[in-house]
Amino acid sequence: MAAAVRGRGRRGRRVVVLLLSPLLVALAAACGGGGGSGGPDTRTAAARPLDLAFKHPGVLVGKEQFDRVRAHVRAREQPWLKAYEQMRGSKYAADDYRATPYPVVECPPDTRPGKGCVEERQDALAAYTQALLWNITGERAHAEKAVQIMDAWAKVITKHTEANAGLQTAWAASSWARAAEAVRYTYDGWNDGSLLRFERMLRTAYLPQVENGSADFNGNWDLVMADATMAMAVFLDDHATFEKSVHHFRTRVPAYFYLESDGKLPVSPEGSGIDTAAELKRYWFGQDTFADGLSQETCRNFKHASYSLAATAHMAETAHHQGVDLYGEVKDRLRAAFEFHSKYQLGAPVPGWLCGGRVRRDMGPDTEVGLNHLRGRLHLEMPETERYTERGRPEGTDGLFVAWETLTHAGNA
């Protein structure tokens, strides 16, 4: 799991910022603040009218996208058929899959064995897999299995503990919310008692752990937490929490992926004590030369930068389904980050100024969602990302919070 990196000082400022953020967006909404053109007021403006209903299904995958995936698979078209077969052949798709819920999930940051960490992530991914199978095949047994898995955990879990609780909660909650959204609004067999129990689970055992983020940790924590928060907010029809996650996106993404327009130094994470040149260099793993697309964790490894690419695209995609153009606010930054990491992942020589001339090329299956929008909808040139994505298709699952995105998002504008 991702190790923590903490900055020093200004703890009080962090608390004040976190307390003020919901108030700021509420005030902006009351004053008619509107959403998301990328102007100077976007960090405090309401993203969408607070009385506007959310669009469902609308967590990562929308109804029209489900319709297109179903048509592609039935017509045996590629790459969707191969992606579907990959998913159908996974352990998560087993007809007799059985959940293994824990009342308390304990995930330490060291070599001590955890309790329920792997089981929770796998069960959440299984619920999402079964939900996708239901939407593609129309076989009710898959919807029933997804509900069975979700209800098993909703009956039992109370909390997450140990130092990796925030990240673990975010990974699992992202998949839980996608699974629940894909079932609730397409299937008529989820009874009210079970549904309410699952909603209560998200509100009590997941949302409080992630909604305020983790400003001083490595940025993949903060971004995955924001991804989970936004996904749960849409499923729960929680407008205030959605606004909070949008604010989190708008402040954290620029502090994670660098653009030359930021200045000589990267943006400091909001609410952290990381803002001097020395602190930023340490936080960026020793990097003191910055180029478009570089991430805070590039010099750690590409795997964690890749998690953050996925989480950023997930949030922008969910917001897109809700009429909020977060992609438009970060399209140049996000395109640069995808291209930068894909280029070196594909084997380009590493210059001496970048991470001392050595990088860990371990990107994951994290590019389909962002590529679909930036290349497919906006028609931006992304040759390196296209090469990397096509070489890795079908993108499967990382076993954490990314699953089957060639199936759901390849060419699926």
Side-chain angles (χ1 to χ4, degrees), residues 70-263:
R70 188 182 309 112
H72 286 311
V73 172
R74 288 178 177 175
R76 304 187 64 79
E77 296 171 344
Q78 302 294 359
W80 305 278
L81 178 61
K82 189 174 181 180
Y84 170 76
E85 291 172 339
Q86 176 193 46
M87 180 180 74
R88 189 67 184 92
S90 74
K91 63 184 178 182
Y92 303 115
D95 294 339
D96 59 352
Y97 189 96
R98 294 183 66 84
T100 310
Y102 282 69
V104 178
V105 176
E106 303 175 18
C107 301
D110 47 40
T111 57
R112 287 175 293 149
K115 294 182 179 179
C117 309
V118 173
E119 293 87 346
E120 180 184 38
R121 295 196 302 268
Q122 290 185 343
D123 286 354
L125 287 168
Y128 181 52
T129 300
Q130 297 285 344
L132 291 178
L133 285 167
W134 150 245
N135 276 276
I136 293 168
T137 68
E139 296 173 7
R140 292 178 66 88
H142 293 302
E144 292 165 4
K145 178 60 68 174
V147 169
Q148 181 187 94
I149 295 167
M150 290 186 283
D151 198 44
W153 277 86
K155 288 177 177 176
V156 171
I157 189 168
T158 60
K159 62 182 177 179
H160 298 77
T161 66
E162 294 284 353
N164 275 333
L167 186 59
Q168 169 72 21
T169 307
W171 281 337
S174 296
S175 297
W176 286 134
R178 291 173 206 145
E181 181 83 356
V183 172
R184 180 177 186 175
Y185 295 99
T186 61
Y187 170 65
D188 60 5
W190 196 351
N191 71 66
D192 289 346
S194 175
L195 175 58
L196 290 171
R197 186 161 49 235
F198 183 79
E199 290 179 339
R200 184 169 61 248
M201 178 189 85
L202 294 185
R203 290 191 182 280
T204 59
Y206 291 86
L207 193 54
Q209 187 78 59
V210 300
E211 63 180 335
N212 290 327
S214 188
D216 293 325
F217 281 53
N218 285 313
N220 79 90
W221 280 60
D222 229 9
L223 288 166
V224 176
M225 285 177 162
D227 179 16
T229 300
M230 181 177 287
M232 286 188 284
V234 172
F235 173 71
L236 294 169
D237 287 312
D238 186 335
H239 295 269
T241 299
F242 180 83
E243 292 293 333
K244 194 172 188 178
S245 68
V246 169
H247 178 83
H248 203 162
F249 178 100
R250 287 172 169 167
T251 54
R252 185 44 125 157
V253 173
Y256 190 86
F257 300 111
Y258 177 82
L259 272 185
E260 186 177 345
S261 58
D262 297 333

Side-chain angles (χ1 to χ4, degrees), residues 395-408:
E395 289 190 349
T397 177
D398 62 1
L400 302 173
F401 75 113
V402 175
W404 323 125
E405 292 178 0
T406 294
L407 178 65
T408 58

